[in-house]
Amino acid sequence: GAQDNLFNDQSTFMVEMQETAHILKNATPRSFVIMDEVGRGTSVTDGLAIARAVLEYLHNHIQCRALFATHYRELASATKDLPRLRLHASKVQEINGRIIFTYKILPGITSKSYGVHVARMASVPQGVCERADELLHDLESDVTRKIKEGV
């Protein structure tokens, strides 16, 4: 999914899905499959559903070893349904509001997302990052409220 093929009317997401289809059709139990950010090029709900379905297919049908890198923290709940699945995450240290990626991989999942931090590191204008922080807080509050209400 690293590029599009617009001359053939194929978006980046279409190319990603074609690559995913090729992997799923050709992998065997002896394969070592590496997938990165499956479902990223579409809506959050579509992407999460596709990523979960691909993960389940690799686990249940192909039964190969796989490295499945994702930003969807919600996939962590898959461990209860996929007994051979093991979760690992990059260790991140927070010091005085700044994050440091240690490039160490440890068992478990990250405690939170660091997207706005990375935007700051990439020199996205401060006003944009501040607004993103506000929106993120609102979104997280809304999700927490819905969970508590059982919605």
Side-chain angles (χ1 to χ4, degrees):
Q3 61 187 9
D4 58 36
N5 188 358
L6 294 179
F7 289 114
N8 290 319
D9 200 27
Q10 297 175 329
S11 67
T12 302
F13 183 64
M14 174 60 87
V15 172
E16 175 189 333
M17 289 295 96
Q18 289 173 335
E19 292 171 355
T20 299
H22 179 79
I23 290 167
L24 296 177
K25 289 176 184 176
N26 292 289
T28 71
R30 294 179 50 90
S31 298
F32 177 56
V33 174
I34 300 173
M35 301 195 83
D36 183 32
E37 301 292 0
V38 172
R40 184 73 175 189
T42 188
S43 73
V44 173
T45 51
D46 280 357
L48 180 56
I50 292 167
R52 173 72 185 248
V54 168
L55 182 60
E56 289 176 1
Y57 192 84
L58 289 169
H59 182 277
N60 296 330
H61 298 282
I62 299 173
Q63 297 183 359
C64 62
R65 289 190 178 260
L67 176 61
F68 195 91
T70 183
H71 67 286
Y72 293 123
R73 294 176 63 238
E74 298 86 350
L75 287 180
S77 66
T79 56
K80 69 180 186 309
D81 300 323
L82 307 174
R84 293 182 315 280
L85 180 66
R86 300 294 177 267
L87 302 176
H88 289 75
S90 299
K91 182 179 179 186
V92 177
Q93 291 181 324
E94 253 187 275
I95 301 172
N96 298 327
R98 292 182 43 133
I99 60 168
I100 300 168
F101 294 101
T102 66
Y103 300 101
K104 293 181 182 175
I105 305 298
L106 301 173
I109 64 171
T110 59
S111 60
K112 64 180 184 176
S113 176
Y114 294 96
V116 178
H117 288 283
V118 173
R120 280 192 179 87
M121 292 169 69
S123 299
V124 170
Q126 182 177 347
V128 172
C129 292
E130 288 171 357
R131 179 64 179 143
D133 272 332
E134 292 170 7
L135 293 167
L136 179 62
H137 176 74
D138 291 347
L139 290 167
E140 288 174 339
S141 296
D142 190 46
V143 167
T144 301
R145 181 188 54 78
K146 287 180 178 178
I147 289 170
K148 287 180 180 176
E149 293 175 357
V151 177

